[in-house]
Amino acid sequence: MKITKVEAIPFAIPYVHPLKFASGEVYCAEHILVRVHGEDGVVGVAEAPPRPYTYGETQDGIRALVEKIFAPAIVGLDVFDREKIHARLNRTVGNPCAKGAVDIAIWDVIGKVLGTPVTKLLGGYTDRMRVSHMVGFDDPAKMVEVAQSFKETYGISTFKVKVGRRPYSLDVAVCRALRKHFGDTVDLYIDGNRGWSATEAARALREMEDLDLLMAEELNPADDVMGRRWLVRQMKIPFYADESVSRPAEVTRELLDGSTTAISIKTARTGYTFSQRIYFQCESLGIENYMGNQIDGQVGTLSSLVFGAAYKGTSDKAGEFSNFLDMSDDLLAEPLKIADGFLKVRDVPGTGVAIDPDKLARYRTDA
Ligand code: MUC
Ligand code: MG
């Protein structure tokens, strides 16, 4: 099944509740929809969410790279010749989200050609996952209110709390307010998006020792090599690497450095092919993973769920699958529904992503 065309369609959907965190703020999902066409009219679909402050990718940049560099490099190749395809894509070292979306769209084509759900092709461990919600910056009372409403409405009981502002006066206060409000009825973990120094992180974690946090993610800059190692060695809870592990080689580096305990997997940046390699790499070393969120829309969220549900080690923890709920609308023909805190994969060939053509026409910005 030869690839005949690759499209990169920019779209923009405003957020109702903007997400704010230490390395940025998101008011509008200015993403790219990637469509890989195969012979016989089969089309695979995926979403690329640019994170300019994290990986330096922009909507314009992803579009240009996919259309001008990746498309000519892979059109004419067989979708099943994945090593050949990746050898071509990997001439470009960076641009993880552009590559991730092309990879997922190719897997979608493969699933459709084989008449099989991609989650089964990857591993087929389960058909649903528990959902965790990321609570963005606000004052402590508002953050408690947001978590309470997600608990009531969707049955979500795991929350990632964004920290990385003022460690002692504000961030610790937020976590304390959440624990006081919910008692032991929720799981809490924190994500600093590199906003603290290693010493601030060490002190803040000491101050929060009684809060029973599950884990902490990317508290200080990964490039603070010694500080990060110093921090991780003294932590009593697991440290998860996120932005610092955008490809398998970085996972190796962070683990060999002793600079992380565990690895967040985001299919938005490592697609399925490299997420799978990271998962197996971690599994063979006894390193834990969970499914992170790159502020994906519903298309990206479903793609991420397809991967997470495929494996025991990703589906045994709540995955971050709910921040599309902050958006004013989305592109899926059949919207995602979180019920009793769970999200289910779709038992259809491919990833289950089907786009509503009217919505795409409304939100695309290239027409
Ligand atoms: C997260 O886990 O950090 C914020 C920036 C990004 O790249 O992803 C989000 C969530
Ligand atoms: Mg993170």
Side-chain angles (χ1 to χ4, degrees):
M1 169 67 64
K2 285 204 168 54
I3 298 170
T4 55
K5 186 165 86 170
V6 181
E7 291 178 280
I9 303 167
F11 64 91
I13 302 179
Y15 268 70
V16 183
H17 303 291
L19 184 69
K20 301 180 183 176
F21 46 98
S23 55
E25 300 182 353
V26 176
Y27 294 89
C28 184
E30 291 173 326
H31 297 179
I32 295 281
L33 194 73
V34 170
R35 288 204 288 219
V36 171
H37 297 250
E39 292 166 312
D40 299 343
V42 185
V43 184
V45 188
E47 177 175 20
R51 291 288 148 251
Y53 304 110
T54 309
Y55 311 102
E57 287 178 288
T58 61
Q59 190 186 39
D60 289 344
I62 290 178
R63 184 180 177 195
L65 189 72
V66 172
E67 284 177 348
K68 295 188 181 147
I69 308 293
F70 290 166
I74 65 172
V75 164
L77 295 184
D78 190 313
V79 280
F80 288 95
D81 292 346
R82 288 166 352 248
E83 289 295 294
K84 215 180 271 177
I85 292 170
H86 282 289
R88 303 236 176 132
L89 299 181
N90 284 336
R91 293 167 183 164
T92 305
V93 174
N95 298 85
C97 302
K99 282 190 265 189
V102 171
D103 180 66
I104 292 172
I106 287 171
W107 275 90
D108 191 24
V109 174
I110 289 172
K112 285 172 177 161
V113 171
L114 297 177
T116 309
V118 171
T119 195
K120 287 184 185 287
L121 293 175
L122 290 167
Y125 184 72
T126 181
D127 68 348
R128 71 197 65 200
M129 275 184 67
R130 230 161 16 95
V131 174
S132 157
H133 185 68
M134 290 195 285
V135 184
F137 287 173
D138 211 323
D139 60 57
K142 283 267 171 47
M143 290 172 76
V144 170
E145 209 178 282
V146 166
Q148 177 64 31
S149 86
F150 275 81
K151 189 163 187 281
E152 268 168 35
T153 314
Y154 303 104
I156 293 174
S157 59
T158 305
F159 296 98
K160 165 149 119 180
V161 186
K162 288 296 196 185
V163 297
R165 290 184 279 186
R166 297 194 301 281
Y168 324 119
S169 56
L170 185 53
D171 296 317
V172 170
V174 166
C175 295
R176 202 160 281 293
L178 284 158
R179 183 55 83 208
K180 183 162 182 253
H181 178 81
F182 288 110
D184 61 4
T185 65
V186 299
D187 283 327
L188 299 173
Y189 58 107
I190 56 172
D191 183 359
N193 289 111
R194 301 163 280 144
W196 290 340
S197 68
T199 53
E200 284 172 335
R203 180 175 153 199
L205 287 171
R206 272 200 311 277
E207 289 189 12
M208 293 192 288
E209 263 175 23
D210 60 322
L211 298 185
D212 193 25
L213 298 176
L214 280 186
M215 56 212 174
E217 182 172 307
E218 210 74 56
L219 298 178
N220 69 318
D223 286 346
D224 292 353
V225 179
M226 297 302 286
R228 187 166 154 98
R229 207 180 302 172
W230 171 84
L231 172 66
V232 170
R233 282 191 184 155
Q234 65 183 275
M235 281 176 58
K236 296 195 174 139
I237 57 174
F239 183 94
Y240 267 77
D242 175 14
E243 300 94 298
S244 56
V245 287
S246 65
R247 54 182 197 269
E250 289 177 342
V251 172
T252 308
R253 184 197 66 196
E254 291 303 303
L255 292 173
L256 286 179
D257 269 6
S259 301
T260 193
T261 328
I263 303 291
S264 157
I265 293 181
K266 291 185 177 174
T267 53
R269 70 175 168 226
T270 39
Y272 290 158
T273 302
F274 290 96
S275 296
Q276 196 180 41
R277 289 179 193 180
I278 289 172
Y279 178 75
F280 291 145
Q281 181 184 4
C282 290
E283 187 187 41
S284 62
L285 293 168
I287 297 293
E288 293 183 8
N289 304 112
Y290 76 80
M291 297 308 296
N293 184 319
Q294 206 160 288
I295 325 180
D296 309 295
Q298 293 197 21
V299 174
T301 301
L302 182 53
S303 301
S304 179
L305 172 73
V306 159
F307 185 91
Y311 304 103
K312 180 174 186 303
T314 41
S315 60
D316 61 6
K317 297 163 214 80
E320 296 170 357
F321 299 133
S322 56
N323 284 80
F324 67 84
L325 291 163
D326 292 335
M327 290 166 64
S328 57
D329 202 356
D330 222 302
L331 298 181
L332 278 191
E334 188 196 326
L336 297 181
K337 283 201 183 68
I338 299 171
D340 299 327
F342 280 83
L343 191 57
K344 286 176 76 172
V345 294
R346 296 176 171 180
D347 191 16
V348 294
T351 59
V353 168
I355 300 297
D356 179 327
D358 295 333
K359 289 193 173 180
L360 182 57
R362 183 171 344 146
Y363 294 115
R364 67 188 295 169
T365 52
D366 61 343

